[in-house]
Amino acid sequence: MSLPHAILTALLEKPSSGLELTRRFDKSIAYFWSATHQQIYRELGRLEAEGHIRTLPAEQPARGQKKSYEVLPAGRAELARWTATAQDPKPQRDVLLLRLRAAAVVGTAGLEADLRRHLELHQRQLAEYEEIQQRDFPPGKDAPEDRLRHLVLRAGLDLETFWTQWLTHALEELGELPGTP
C-alpha cells in the first residue's frame, strides 16, 4: 500500500509528468522504496481514477504531449491519514544472513567472495549517500522539511555504516574459522 503514498509525496513536492516522476523517484525515494516505471505509471492511473490526483491541463493541446499530474485535496488527505496511522516494523528478511546460517551446516564454500562483494556494494552506497549529504544538506539547511528529508538520508547512512562494519567483522570471523583460506 506504500507505493501510492510514495507517489503522492513526490507529486506534492513537485507536480510532474510520469517520466519526470520516475526520474525523480529513481534519484530519491527509490533508495528506500523501489518500484519499476511500469508500476509507477499503473499507480498514477489508479490514483487518478480514485480522485487523488489529476492531469494538469496542457498549456497548448498537442498530440503525444506528456501528461503532468498534481495532487488533489483527496490525495493530500489520504497521505495525511496514512502518515498519521501507526504501522509495525516489517520482520527482517535477508538472504545473506540465511546463507550464513546454512553455511554453519553445509560449509562456507564461496561465502568469502560474496561477503567481499556485499562489502564493496555497501561501501559504494555509503559513499553515494555521503555525497548526497554533502551536496544537499550543507550546514544551516535546517527548514523543517529539510530536516525530515535529512533524517531519511541519515537512516540510509546509518544502515550502510552498519553493513560495512558488520561485513568487515564477518570477513574477519570467517578468516579465523578452521578450514577457511
Side-chain angles (χ1 to χ4, degrees):
M1 187 64 177
S2 296
L3 179 56
H5 300 103
I7 291 171
L8 288 170
T9 299
L11 288 175
L12 278 169
E13 290 172 343
K14 180 181 176 190
S16 305
S17 70
L19 181 58
E20 292 165 340
L21 179 63
T22 58
R23 287 180 179 155
R24 286 181 39 236
F25 202 92
D26 286 345
K27 292 179 183 176
S28 61
I29 293 172
Y31 284 116
F32 55 90
W33 195 268
S34 62
T36 65
H37 293 193
Q38 293 85 356
Q39 289 171 315
I40 291 170
Y41 277 99
R42 208 172 21 247
E43 197 59 47
L44 283 168
R46 198 172 73 72
L47 287 166
E48 189 170 28
E50 291 175 351
H52 290 167
I53 65 172
R54 74 174 180 124
T55 304
L56 290 169
E59 292 176 15
Q60 296 177 351
R63 187 178 169 159
Q65 186 174 8
K66 59 186 175 183
K67 296 179 187 178
S68 286
Y69 299 91
E70 72 175 352
V71 177
L72 295 171
R76 180 180 284 276
E78 169 54 24
L79 187 59
R81 181 208 60 76
W82 179 76
T83 301
T85 303
Q87 294 182 1
D88 292 336
K90 299 286 183 209
Q92 176 72 19
R93 290 179 63 172
D94 191 294
V95 70
L96 181 61
L97 298 178
L98 181 58
R99 289 177 55 227
L100 276 173
R101 181 70 183 252
V105 292
V106 298
T108 60
L111 200 52
E112 181 182 356
D114 201 37
L115 287 172
R116 289 192 188 289
R117 187 179 68 81
H118 276 258
L119 177 58
E120 288 175 23
L121 291 169
H122 285 286
Q123 287 170 331
R124 273 188 277 178
Q125 189 64 62
L126 178 58
E128 186 173 342
Y129 286 161
E130 288 169 340
E131 274 182 41
I132 292 169
Q133 179 173 254
Q134 190 173 19
R135 179 190 70 222
D136 294 350
F137 299 101
K141 188 172 183 179
D142 59 358
E145 61 274 9
D146 292 326
R147 291 176 68 184
L148 291 172
R149 288 183 186 118
H150 193 196
L151 192 58
V152 173
L153 177 61
R154 188 75 239 168
L157 286 160
D158 290 349
L159 285 169
E160 295 304 329
T161 298
F162 162 78
W163 279 112
T164 57
Q165 291 172 347
W166 182 86
L167 285 159
T168 300
H169 176 74
L171 283 162
E172 290 168 358
E173 194 74 28
L174 188 63
E176 294 174 7
L177 295 177
T180 54

